[in-house]
Amino acid sequence: MKLDFITIFPEFFEPLRLSLIGKARDKSLIEIGVHDLREHATNVHKQVDDTPYGGGAGMVMMPEVWGKALDPIITKDSELIILTPAGKRFDQRMAEELSNSKHLIFACGRYEGIDDRVRQYYKGEGFRVREVSIGDYVLNGGEVAAMVMVEAIARLIPGVIGNPDSLTDESHNVEGFLEYPTFTKPQIWRGLAVPSVLLSGNHKEIADWRNNQASKLSQCE
Ligand code: ADE
């Protein structure tokens, strides 16, 4: 899978060299491109934003710089993801869907967002475009939101996680179900014991207990 990020802060994506994603890059399971939007600015001040038509506070990112950044990388295989608090809420189902894509482009807006004609134009040209939010709160920009999405999506790509069994019992695999509590050594820590059923060796009872715990968790807020 190819992942491209367009941003005015390329440094935000340095951590993608670490951990599982870093290893997946080494194995060529994931290819990452980070693009500095300012390189596409057209005036001497490297301006990427301007005041909003209709008035109001803040600045809006100009469509021309976005067009110049997107045109060379977008193809019919691409899914253009515009990060915005007004987008569709990101969840595990969306992560699964996006993990099957060949190419994701994350458009990381700052300020009051990106001129809406960028979305209109690429949609109108027949490209896949979606506006995505990671939750009902406002971030300073889309970079951290894009990183959250990549953490959730990349681990679903075959080969990224060493032991694929790790993916089977996870929270959110089944809508609304959260993972059961887990324990390791020692058996007693600060007076707290591991539930005895987990030491019983009875696989059926262990599975029932875990199922029961998972459904209990899904009922709490
Ligand atoms: N940009 C600002 N806030 C955001 C959010 N909640 N999700 C995605 N992108 C954003």
Side-chain angles (χ1 to χ4, degrees), residues 62-117:
M62 298 187 290
E64 183 56 16
V65 269
W66 277 100
K68 283 176 170 249
L70 284 164
D71 285 343
I73 59 174
I74 198 164
T75 73
K76 296 291 175 202
D77 283 334
S78 309
E79 180 99 43
L80 173 59
I81 296 166
I82 300 174
L83 283 318
T84 159
K88 184 170 177 213
R89 176 86 71 87
F90 182 62
D91 61 11
Q92 191 67 21
R93 298 290 89 75
M94 201 193 289
E96 283 162 11
E97 200 185 312
L98 292 174
S99 71
N100 295 313
S101 301
K102 286 199 179 113
H103 183 208
L104 302 178
I105 304 175
F106 295 89
C108 304
R110 285 257 140 189
Y111 318 116
E112 296 304 308
I114 302 170
D115 187 309
D116 191 53
R117 287 169 294 180

Side-chain angles (χ1 to χ4, degrees), residues 83-85 132-135 137-139 141 145:
L83 283 318
T84 159
V132 180
S133 163
I134 61 159
Y137 37 79
V138 179
L139 305 169

Side-chain angles (χ1 to χ4, degrees), residues 49-60 111-112:
D49 58 334
D50 212 329
T51 52
Y53 277 116
M59 301 290 267
V60 177
Y111 318 116
E112 296 304 308

